[in-house]
Amino acid sequence: MSSTVTRIRLAAIAAAASIAVLAGCSSPAPSGDASASSCAPAKGKVTLQYWNTVPGMDQVVALWNKKNPDIQVEMKNISNDQYGTLGNALKADKAPDLAQVGYDELPNLRTQNAFVDVSACSAATAAKSKFVPWTWSQASFGDTGVFAFPQDTGPMALYVRSDIFKQHGLTVPKTWDEYAADAQKLHKADSDLSITFFDPNNAEWFNGLLWQNNAEMYSYAGDKWHVTVASDQSKQVAEYWQKLIDAKLVRTDLAHGSTQMYAAYQKDQIASYVGAAWGYSMFRDNLPDQAGKWSIVPMPTWGSNAASGDWGGSTVAFMKGSKHLYESVKFNSWLNTDPEALALENKLGGLYPAATAGLDLPALSQGVPYYNNEKIFDVFADSSKNIDTGFTWGPTQKTVNLALQDAVAKAAAGSGTLTDALSAAQAAALKSMDDQAIPATAGK
C-alpha cells in the first residue's frame, strides 16, 4: 500500500467507524469513562505503547526516543486493520497507552469506554490553546474531560488541471453552479472528459461535502440526540450531485485512491479533484509526469457562503488502562505540537497539522514544486478557517456511514437517488441509537 493510499485510509476510511461522543456538543459523558485521578510522574523509566497508521511515524518516534531516554515509546503500525485491531485490544484489556483515532470514530469508541480522562494533568488542559479551535471541539466531546489531542485535519479544496481548463477556455469556478456549467462545457467538447469523479463507496468524502453546506447531521439538546442527516442542506448537496450523475457529467466507476483512478487522470480523462489537504502528495507521488499541470484553489461555494468542509483527520487518544498518564500527555503534546515533530510528520506522512504551530512550518509557507511552486497550503489554511466548528458526529456514526455508503452506491448504479440515500442513513441512525437505548429523535 502506497503512502498515499495509507493516508487516504486514515483520513477518509477513518470516517467509516466511529468513536463515542460528538464534537462540540454538550452531551453528557458516558458513566463508563475512566477518570484520571492523578497525574504523578513515574519514579523510573517508562515505556509507552503507541499505535497508528501514519507512514514514517517510526522515524518521528525514534526522534523522541533519542531525546527522552526515560520515556521510551514503542510504535505499532496498524494500518492493515486499524479499528479491528484496536477493538480486539480493548476487548482483551490490552489496549496501548495511545492510539490514532479518527474524529468521527471518537463517539462510537467512547460508548465502549475506550478512553481515559487525563484532565488531572495540567499540561493536558492547557493544550487546548495550542490547537486550531474547531479541531479541539471535535476531540473534546463538549464536556470537561480531555480524552484525545487533535493530530491532523483535512480541510478541503479543489485540485484543478490548469492545462485542461486553459485548453477549453475555462476559468476557475468560484461556485458550485459555475462548476456544473464547466462540467457541461468539458463533456460537450470531449465526451471522454469529465470534470471529476463521484466515488459511490466513499461516505466520508460525501460527509465532507455535507459539512461544507452547514448540513448539521446531529445535535444534542434536551437530553437526547436530534438526527438531521436528511436535512434540507443535505438534500441540496445530494440533488446537485444527482443531476451531474444523471447527465453523465461525472464518472461513478472509480474508487478513490485506486489504480483505475490514477489511470483516468493519467489519460487526461478527468480535469479536477475535490479533495483534502492530506491528498496533496497523492498526485505528486503517483502522477509525477503531471508536475506543473495542477493547481489547488478554494473549494467552490454555495452562493456567497465562504464555508468549507473537512474530510478526515485524526486524533491521538488516551486509551483506557494506561498506567502512565503524565508520560502519555508529555509525549502526545510533543508529537502534536512540537515544530520539529510536526515538520517530520508532514514530510514523511503528509499530515496537515491541527496544531496552530504547524501552520507556521516553513514547509507549509513555501511554494510546492509539483504545483508550479504555488503556496498551496495557504489555500488549505484559509479553508480551515472557514470550517463550521459546530459540526457534530453521531454516537453510531459507523453504522450510519455504512448505510449511507450502501444506498449511495445503489443510487449511482441507477437504483434510487442520493436523496433516498440520505433518508436511509437517517433511518439507520435512529434505529441504531434505539437499539443501544440512546435517546434520539428526528429533526431539531
Side-chain angles (χ1 to χ4, degrees), residues 301-426:
T301 62
W302 294 101
S304 60
N305 187 351
S308 189
D310 181 86
W311 174 18
S314 293
T315 69
V316 176
F318 300 97
M319 306 305 294
K320 178 184 69 174
S322 174
K323 303 294 192 297
H324 306 294
L325 303 185
Y326 174 87
E327 291 78 13
S328 293
V329 168
K330 189 172 183 179
F331 170 68
N332 201 348
S333 181
W334 175 87
L335 183 71
N336 291 307
T337 66
D338 181 85
E340 189 175 12
L342 296 176
L344 201 56
E345 291 160 22
N346 175 261
K347 177 181 178 181
L348 299 174
L351 297 187
Y352 186 75
T356 53
L359 303 182
D360 295 325
L361 293 176
L364 299 185
S365 62
Q366 300 172 357
V368 178
Y370 184 85
Y371 296 94
N372 284 308
N373 288 314
E374 295 173 5
K375 295 183 177 181
I376 63 172
F377 292 108
D378 287 352
V379 177
F380 293 121
D382 288 340
S383 174
S384 184
K385 294 175 184 177
N386 289 314
I387 291 174
D388 176 16
T389 62
F391 188 86
T392 298
W393 298 113
T396 58
Q397 193 65 41
K398 177 179 180 179
T399 298
V400 177
N401 277 349
L402 291 174
L404 179 62
Q405 194 162 286
D406 180 65
V408 166
K410 291 178 179 177
S415 178
T417 66
L418 296 181
T419 300
D420 295 335
L422 292 173
S423 298
Q426 169 128 342

Side-chain angles (χ1 to χ4, degrees), residues 292-308:
K293 296 181 179 181
W294 285 95
S295 291
I296 297 179
V297 300
M299 199 172 179
T301 62
W302 294 101
S304 60
N305 187 351
S308 189

Side-chain angles (χ1 to χ4, degrees), residues 165-238:
F165 268 60
K166 183 178 180 179
Q167 176 187 349
H168 292 279
L170 302 180
T171 58
V172 173
K174 303 294 185 182
T175 67
W176 285 113
D177 284 343
E178 292 177 5
Y179 190 73
D182 286 345
Q184 291 181 315
K185 293 175 183 177
L186 287 174
H187 200 63
K188 182 177 181 180
D190 183 349
S191 60
D192 291 328
L193 180 60
S194 299
I195 196 164
T196 193
F197 70 99
F198 182 98
D199 184 353
N201 296 301
N202 199 323
E204 299 79 21
W205 173 76
F206 191 68
N207 286 338
L209 299 177
L210 300 181
W211 192 336
Q212 184 204 18
N213 200 29
N214 298 317
E216 294 185 4
M217 300 172 74
Y218 310 88
S219 60
Y220 190 90
D223 297 325
K224 67 174 60 176
W225 288 103
H226 297 260
V227 182
T228 52
V229 176
S231 68
D232 289 342
Q233 292 90 337
S234 294
K235 291 177 181 178
Q236 182 182 11
V237 176

Side-chain angles (χ1 to χ4, degrees), residues 116-163:
V116 61
D117 177 5
V118 297
S119 58
C121 301
S122 59
T125 55
K128 178 179 180 180
S129 64
K130 299 180 180 181
F131 295 95
V132 175
W134 73 265
T135 66
W136 188 266
S137 71
Q138 285 284 307
S140 68
F141 303 150
D143 51 38
T144 58
V146 179
F147 302 91
F149 284 172
Q151 181 166 72
D152 73 307
T153 66
M156 299 178 75
L158 180 67
Y159 294 61
V160 174
R161 270 290 297 274
S162 302
D163 58 328

Side-chain angles (χ1 to χ4, degrees), residues 262-281:
Y262 291 122
Y265 279 111
Q266 185 67 56
K267 296 175 182 177
D268 299 337
Q269 294 174 346
I270 305 179
S272 70
Y273 166 77
V274 181
W278 46 261
Y280 83 95
S281 61

